[in-house]
Structure formats: structure tokens, C-alpha cells
């Protein structure tokens, strides 16, 4: 009887511990958009800033002040940028990758 009681207590303890163990052991996966941003954008836009034109950061207030509000707008800037920014055509960054980068920017730099 004592043995059954110990097994029951142990089973309950394990069941209670499992939900709390997962978040601490799990690694946060980096999105493909984040990886692509690091690869293609960070050199000029570290942490969403802008080393060439400091007033044109990727922060929401600066993006929107320059009419850049959607993923389509960001992709448009990537494909046809103004002076000082590298042009990222579809040979360099596919449409799918450009969309992932744009979604990352909108989600990250608020």
C-alpha cells in the first residue's frame, strides 16, 4: 500500500512539473525574416536604426512619416530605394524572402 501511495505522489509531482519545465528548456527559434534581416539589412540598419540617414530609421514613427506602413511599402523601398540604399532586386532577395524581411521589420520595430 505504501508503495502505491509513493507511486501516486510521484506521478502527480511529475504531471505538475512538466508544464513548468518546458518554457525554461525550450529555445526561442529565430524566424527566417530575422535571419534574412541580419544577412542583408543589419549593416546599415543595426537595431532598426539607419547609419546613412539617421532620420529614416525602421521604427514605426519614422517609417510612417515617410509613407512606409505595410509589407508592400517596405518591399517597394527594397526594390526601388532612394539614394544611399542598396537596391535588392529579385535576383538578390526573392519576393518570399522580401516579404519575410518586411514582416519581421513590422513586428520588431514598433
Amino acid at each position: 500500500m505504501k508503495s502505491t501511495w509513493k507511486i501516486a505522489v510521484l506521478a502527480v509531482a511529475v504531471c505538475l512539473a512538466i508544464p513548468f519545465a518546458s518554457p525554461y528548456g525550450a529555445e526561442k527559434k529565430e524566424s527566417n525574416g530575422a535571419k534574412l534581416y541580419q544577412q542583408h539589412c543589419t549593416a546599415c540598419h543595426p537595431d532598426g536604426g539607419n547609419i546613412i540617414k539617421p532620420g529614416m530609421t525602421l521604427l514605426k514613427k519614422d517609417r510612417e512619416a515617410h509613407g512606409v506602413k505595410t509589407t508592400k511599402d517596405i518591399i517597394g523601398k527594397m526594390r526601388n530605394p532612394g539614394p544611399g540604399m542598396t537596391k535588392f532586386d529579385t535576383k538578390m532577395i526573392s519576393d518570399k524572402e522580401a516579404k519575410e524581411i518586411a514582416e519581421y521589420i513590422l513586428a520588431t520595430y514598433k
Side-chain angles (χ1 to χ4, degrees):
M1 188 70 133
K2 277 188 173 183
S3 181
T4 306
W5 178 250
K6 287 180 183 178
I7 292 171
V9 169
L10 181 60
V12 169
V14 168
C15 289
L16 291 173
I18 288 173
F20 296 104
S22 307
Y24 298 106
E27 289 184 28
K28 187 176 180 183
K29 284 195 171 187
E30 187 176 47
S31 72
N32 196 46
K35 292 175 188 173
L36 290 165
Y37 180 86
Q38 290 294 322
Q39 181 182 353
H40 297 287
C41 310
T42 298
C44 296
H45 295 283
D47 296 321
N50 188 327
I51 64 169
I52 308 296
K53 294 182 179 179
M56 295 184 78
T57 72
L58 299 179
L59 297 174
K60 183 177 181 177
K61 66 179 179 67
D62 290 335
R63 285 192 325 262
E64 290 188 352
H66 294 95
V68 180
K69 300 177 182 181
T70 67
T71 57
K72 186 177 177 179
D73 295 335
I74 293 170
I75 294 168
K77 287 291 183 185
M78 292 169 68
R79 301 295 190 220
N80 295 301
M85 184 172 156
T86 302
K87 182 176 184 173
F88 295 100
D89 61 21
T90 55
K91 291 177 186 174
M92 187 178 291
I93 297 176
S94 72
D95 288 336
K96 179 181 181 267
E97 291 172 330
K99 184 177 182 206
E100 290 173 328
I101 291 169
E103 288 170 348
Y104 170 77
I105 289 168
L106 291 174
T108 304
Y109 302 111
K110 297 179 179 185

